[in-house]
Amino acid sequence: MFHPTVARLTYRALLGRRRALILFALPALLVVIAVAIRALAGADDSTASGILGGFALGTMVPLIGVIAGTGAIGPEIDDGSVVYLLSKPVRRSTIIFTKLLVATGVTVTFSAVPVLLAGFVLNGNSQQIAVAYAVAAAIASVAYSALFLLLGTITRHAVVFGLVYALVWEAFFGTLVPGARTLSVQQWALAVGQKVGAEGALTSDVQLPLALCLLAVVTVGSTWYAGRRLKSLTLAGEE
């Protein structure tokens, strides 16, 4: 289910100059904000939760997920180079699974690790806030990577749709509209992080069993359907 050559090519595509600048810029901004707030206001649990939950988990993580998820396969489909990949004797499910692992690894590295670092800077991991938000970011990274990888296989405008989801649904509706929170990856991840942090440190509108089920459905379902779409691309090319 894992192909080293596909993984190497995907890493090279994701960590190219333009994408790498964005991937490094967002975590760097989070850490700079954390250092500035700690220097000006000192350690404060509510401030740490606000920064890690609002900016980091609510905006930075889904944006990195968009970059990594869509970038893992979207450019290959756009420029037609995916035809050469599909011509190799590699199972389509192996290609998708390998790209998902790479996209997830990149997203976790550039989201969960900076969230953990920023949390320690902000309040020294008081009430396990830093670790809890880092766990939530890692969990969300898996679901975002699968979801946006799927978008990359079904539309040439995957980045646009991904940004709309990340900035409009997750950052706006998923935060402000109560009914929409049930369908928010952010809230599902917070439900997991809530169990890691101290009581009351993190809150989620979704119960943990439902959150785990929805995370599994989105991740597995998106991966499966992405593989199906890749097979249809092969058929279309052969026809």
Side-chain angles (χ1 to χ4, degrees):
M1 293 298 292
F2 180 81
H3 197 281
T5 301
V6 174
R8 185 172 63 254
L9 294 174
T10 306
Y11 271 118
R12 187 179 301 173
L14 286 179
L15 299 179
R17 183 178 302 176
R18 186 176 301 176
R19 286 189 179 86
L21 287 176
I22 301 175
L23 288 173
F24 279 103
L26 289 172
L29 178 61
L30 172 64
V31 174
V32 169
I33 291 174
V35 171
I37 291 177
R38 180 62 184 265
L40 295 174
D44 182 75
D45 292 349
S46 62
T47 300
S49 293
I51 296 297
L52 297 180
F55 174 71
L57 191 61
T59 302
M60 186 190 78
V61 178
L63 284 178
I64 292 176
V66 170
I67 297 169
T70 61
I73 195 169
E76 293 176 316
I77 295 177
D78 290 342
D79 62 20
S81 61
V82 72
V83 174
Y84 299 99
L85 180 61
L86 297 178
S87 66
K88 304 299 180 182
V90 183
R91 295 180 60 182
R92 307 302 176 252
S93 58
T94 298
I95 294 174
I96 289 296
F97 189 72
T98 300
K99 288 182 174 294
L100 175 61
L101 288 180
V102 173
T104 300
V106 170
T107 307
V108 170
T109 301
F110 286 94
S111 59
V113 175
V115 166
L116 181 64
L117 176 60
F120 272 98
V121 171
L122 285 166
N123 74 339
N125 196 36
S126 173
Q127 299 191 73
Q128 292 291 307
I129 287 177
V131 173
Y133 274 108
V135 169
I139 295 295
S141 296
V142 179
Y144 284 135
S145 297
L147 182 62
F148 296 132
L149 179 64
L150 171 62
L151 278 179
T153 65
I154 63 178
T155 176
R156 292 180 178 274
H157 306 291
V159 175
V160 175
F161 286 110
L163 289 175
V164 169
Y165 177 86
L167 297 178
V168 177
W169 185 265
E170 289 284 11
F172 183 73
F173 287 101
T175 303
L176 302 178
V177 182
R181 295 173 186 171
T182 306
L183 300 177
S184 169
V185 174
Q186 177 187 350
Q187 291 297 321
W188 306 341
L190 279 172
V192 180
Q194 187 176 7
K195 296 299 181 180
V196 178
E199 185 176 356
L202 282 75
T203 58
S204 173
D205 292 339
V206 183
Q207 296 298 315
L208 181 60
L210 178 59
L212 292 174
C213 289
L214 292 172
L215 284 166
V217 168
V218 167
T219 302
V220 176
S222 297
T223 305
W224 173 80
Y225 193 65
R228 297 273 297 182
R229 289 292 300 180
L230 205 59
K231 289 181 180 179
S232 70
L233 286 176
T234 305
L235 292 175
E238 291 173 350
E239 292 174 355

